[in-house]
Amino acid sequence: PGPVCALSHTRVVDVSAGGLHSLAVSEQGELFSWGAGRSGKLGHGDEEMRPLPTAVRALEGRRIVRACAGDSHSLVFGANGTLYSFGLGEGGRLGHGSEERLLTPAPVTALLRAGAVCGMGVGSYHSIVLVRPWPGGNDATETARSNYLTSEAPEAKRAAVLSLHSAIDAMEPPDGAEPAGDADASEATLVYTFGDGAYGKLGHGDGVDQLLPKKIEAFA
């Protein structure tokens, strides 16, 4: 083992290694990725290999606290509990309601009303997240999410995207507040899974793929 010199001046607080790529989160909340870029799992908007840690510019201004690298996709979540996914979407492992790949991180909007993500894991073909429910729900993000999903005209879609990101940004905790993550055992949490359901690995009693996050009722 040897030091990653490109990060020698960065205090790293979280790391994750996938099959052919790696992720690291700095103390300032910046996400770095490197390795094989196939399917967009590095989050840089392309499929190019990155031999050195490179900041993911698509997440600038969003304080990331945890990262998780799979074989062909990646999950990260911010201090406000918003989950982002990118990479190969086959089987629904990104949680966006389709199997499309994503070359840059996108918020998993289906979880915005459910609560704040405080833990996660990835398999080769599926994802699992731990969610701390919002007290009383989160109407602002739900309204923005609804507008985003129902907008079809290009201009309306762009406006809805800006509104959605504004709602997400408004969820950021104040300076000095504890970030999401490391859920207290005494707090109520829910478990959601999505992706390839073969062998019952999503925990829903069947082998059906889930394109959107689905709550495991056994833990509800």
Side-chain angles (χ1 to χ4, degrees):
V4 178
C5 296
L7 294 173
S8 60
H9 298 294
T10 302
R11 184 176 180 186
V12 174
V13 295
D14 192 47
V15 294
S16 181
L20 295 171
H21 74 298
S22 302
L23 304 173
V25 179
S26 75
E27 187 177 35
Q28 289 72 37
E30 194 170 19
L31 178 69
F32 294 85
S33 64
W34 64 100
R38 187 176 180 180
S39 301
K41 59 181 173 283
L42 297 185
H44 300 297
D46 55 40
E47 296 186 84
E48 299 298 318
M49 181 187 75
R50 298 293 197 286
L52 293 172
T54 304
V56 178
R57 298 303 177 194
L59 289 171
E60 278 187 350
R62 285 156 175 74
R63 186 182 171 203
I64 302 303
V65 294
R66 297 286 186 274
C68 204
D71 283 349
S72 301
H73 73 298
S74 303
L75 300 182
V76 303
F77 68 85
N80 61 5
T82 300
L83 181 73
Y84 297 85
S85 63
F86 46 104
L88 188 67
E90 185 179 352
R93 71 192 77 179
L94 298 184
H96 296 290
S98 73
E99 296 188 272
E100 293 183 13
R101 66 177 181 175
L102 291 175
L103 302 183
T104 56
V108 180
T109 60
L111 288 171
L112 292 179
R113 186 171 177 79
V117 173
C118 55
M120 62 187 173
V122 295
S124 295
Y125 307 104
H126 72 301
S127 305
I128 183 168
V129 295
L130 190 62
V131 175
R132 184 186 299 122
W134 299 116
N138 193 320
D139 293 335
T141 52
E142 179 60 16
T143 299
R145 173 178 175 263
S146 177
N147 291 337
Y148 169 77
L149 293 176
T150 57
S151 298
E152 296 183 1
E155 287 300 323
K157 194 73 171 178
R158 277 193 287 271
V161 168
L162 291 175
S163 177
L164 176 61
H165 281 289
S166 294
I168 291 172
D169 291 342
M171 292 159 52
E172 290 287 355
D175 291 341
E178 288 297 317
D182 300 328
D184 190 296
S186 65
E187 294 183 294
T189 53
L190 302 171
V191 181
Y192 287 78
T193 57
F194 44 101
D196 184 281
Y199 307 106
K201 58 180 172 282
L202 298 185
H204 303 299
D206 55 37
V208 178
D209 294 355
Q210 296 295 330
L211 302 184
L212 291 168
K214 183 177 180 179
K215 181 171 60 178
I216 297 182
E217 295 298 338
F219 296 135

